Amino acid sequence: MKPLFSARNSALAVAIATTFGLTACQAPAGKAPPPAVTATKTAPADQSLTQRELGDGLYEMAYSQEAGVLYVASAQSFKNVNGGVLYRLDPRTLKVVGETHTDLKNFGMATDAQGKVFYTTNTLDGGVSKVDAQTGKVLQRLMFGGKDKEGDAIGAREILWHGNELYVGAVADPGFISVVDTRIFRLKTRIKNAGKWVTGIIYSPLTDKIYAANGGGEILVINPHSHKIEKRLTAEDGKAYLFLNMAEDPATGRLFVTDDSKQKTTLVFDEHTGKVIKRLPGDALGIKFNAKRNELYISQRQSKKVLVLDGTTYAVKHHWSFSSHPNSLLVSPDGNTLYVTVKQDFNKDMSTKGPDSIVRISLN
């Protein structure tokens, strides 16, 4: 096996990370996290928000109701560290209740409908791992194969579980989506011609379609039964976009998509017409819609904030400010809690200024 981090691979890893909101970090995997602390907030001090330094290379999260734990994917450092960690946390206290040290680095995450297993993408190696949610044990791994023009593995970024299938977006040009049959954990088909760099992927219960964003400013409308791309939505304003993450309000048929690179904005699409009905200015990376509270949450990496927007008027109801960069977001299944990964800056040698953090915000 060739070394994971040659000089070129280290640069590639950082490029992938920063382009798609997957930013790397560094520290020993087994280092115990310090006690939780309260982060900087714009509101008067209260007990609604806690922040705990956890480890390096934190990315996406998954909540397993079956196991009663919060999982956090870690790629560890991009400097002199092979492999990653899957952290198991108490979702109320953020206490570490278990760790799985993996030989590959972990980025995107998704759970099945029951929360008995979850899946994590091994982005730099072009694969996906299936993990038991109760024990954290890696059960199976599937590598998709294929090389880019430089001879490196084609990255597997975002992942969606739907109907006993996994949809895994490829960081390639042209991009594609690998469809995996989760019952036998094998590649079922590949959705090709998906544009440059497949980024966010979500399923709409309203339209029974899968939406996939790409770096060319398109939203692909995919039929999950035929695995065919039926439409390609664009902003239709002549501007260049690098779409990233998405969220949906199925009650109103609104699709929210962020661009944290070219336009620094969030676009709101009407799913019925395919047209943009609202533009929300400002840098925007992660995004989640909370139907229970009719709220939209946006992480602003550059501005170091997490915003809470009214789901009807788009007015900013509240925000939390941090000393470093909010990244991925996750809303608990009951809609009462928001989880955030907060990342550190890079040093010139591709190390970082400290460990990344996990944040718990009580929304009640």
Side-chain angles (χ1 to χ4, degrees):
M1 180 183 296
K2 74 174 183 178
L4 180 61
F5 294 113
S6 64
R8 204 196 82 78
N9 281 345
S10 293
L12 175 65
V14 173
I16 290 176
T18 53
T19 300
F20 296 122
L22 302 175
T23 333
C25 292
Q26 170 197 3
K31 184 178 180 180
V37 295
T38 302
T40 303
K41 301 185 288 293
T42 57
D46 57 37
Q47 300 301 312
S48 68
L49 187 152
T50 55
Q51 179 172 349
R52 181 185 294 274
E53 289 186 349
L54 184 60
D56 298 330
L58 302 185
Y59 294 106
E60 294 193 345
M61 300 160 283
Y63 194 111
S64 171
Q65 288 183 289
E66 174 80 12
V69 295
L70 175 71
Y71 274 93
V72 185
S74 165
Q76 285 298 107
S77 175
F78 282 179
K79 180 187 177 183
N80 300 327
V81 177
N82 289 293
V85 179
L86 297 169
Y87 292 101
R88 278 173 284 165
L89 307 183
D90 182 311
R92 295 159 301 186
T93 66
L94 303 184
K95 178 182 178 181
V96 176
V97 295
E99 296 179 6
T100 300
H101 294 253
T102 59
D103 59 325
L104 300 182
K105 295 181 177 295
N106 311 294
F107 292 86
M109 299 190 83
T111 60
D112 67 357
Q114 293 77 34
K116 293 183 177 181
V117 299
F118 68 88
Y119 303 89
T120 182
T121 51
N122 306 120
T123 298
L124 301 183
D125 295 273
V128 59
S129 298
K130 178 180 179 180
V131 186
D132 181 272
Q134 289 285 356
T135 65
K137 181 180 179 180
V138 176
L139 302 173
Q140 291 176 284
R141 180 175 286 158
L142 178 63
M143 308 308 293
F144 296 117
K147 303 289 184 179
D148 61 19
K149 296 178 181 178
E150 302 295 333
D152 293 307
I154 294 174
R157 186 195 186 264
E158 198 63 24
I159 185 171
L160 167 73
W161 185 96
H162 172 67
N164 292 317
E165 292 179 336
L166 290 178
Y167 293 78
V168 186
V171 183
D173 186 13
F176 56 86
I177 300 171
S178 297
V179 183
V180 177
D181 186 330
T182 60
R183 292 165 293 191
I184 58 176
F185 210 58
R186 292 182 182 174
L187 181 64
K188 183 174 184 178
T189 189
R190 184 165 280 175
I191 302 170
K192 300 180 180 180
N193 300 315
K196 182 179 181 180
W197 304 334
V198 178
T199 52
I201 307 177
I202 65 171
Y203 169 74
S204 167
L206 173 66
T207 62
D208 188 29
K209 304 295 181 185
I210 287 170
Y211 298 110
N214 67 32
E218 296 177 319
I219 304 295
L220 311 179
V221 182
I222 300 169
N223 186 322
H225 308 288
S226 66
H227 303 121
K228 301 295 184 182
I229 299 173
E230 296 183 339
K231 297 179 182 177
R232 296 173 186 262
L233 309 181
T234 66
E236 298 182 343
D237 58 5
K239 297 179 181 179
Y241 289 87
L242 197 166
F243 288 155
L244 196 57
N245 295 308
M246 293 180 290
E248 183 200 32
D249 175 13
T252 61
R254 290 175 299 163
L255 182 68
F256 310 95
V257 57
T258 63
D259 180 343
D260 199 48
S261 177
K262 294 186 175 181
Q263 299 300 327
K264 298 290 184 183
T265 189
T266 300
L267 298 184
V268 185
F269 284 84
D270 183 328
E271 295 177 62
H272 304 289
T273 66
K275 304 296 184 182
V276 174
I277 57 175
K278 187 72 175 180
R279 289 172 169 80
L280 307 175
D283 60 302
L285 182 63
I287 188 164
K288 295 293 180 182
F289 183 78
N290 187 340
K292 178 180 179 179
R293 301 177 60 86
N294 189 36
E295 291 178 340
L296 190 66
Y297 310 114
I298 298 175
S299 62
Q300 293 188 303
R301 178 177 172 80
Q302 180 179 336
S303 301
K304 302 180 181 179
K305 297 178 182 178
V306 172
L307 306 181
V308 184
L309 277 63
D310 183 279
T312 301
T313 66
Y314 307 108
V316 177
K317 298 171 61 175
H318 185 65
H319 77 264
W320 293 272
S321 295
F322 299 89
S323 60
S324 51
H325 309 287
N327 199 72
S328 298
L329 303 174
L330 179 70
V331 177
S332 63
D334 62 10
N336 293 329
T337 308
L338 177 67
Y339 298 97
V340 187
T341 53
V342 180
K343 305 191 66 61
Q344 294 285 349
D345 285 310
F346 283 107
N347 295 312
K348 291 182 179 180
D349 65 354
M350 295 183 184
S351 66
T352 53
K353 299 184 182 301
D356 292 346
S357 300
I358 180 76
V359 171
R360 180 187 189 275
I361 302 173
S362 175
L363 300 172
N364 289 327

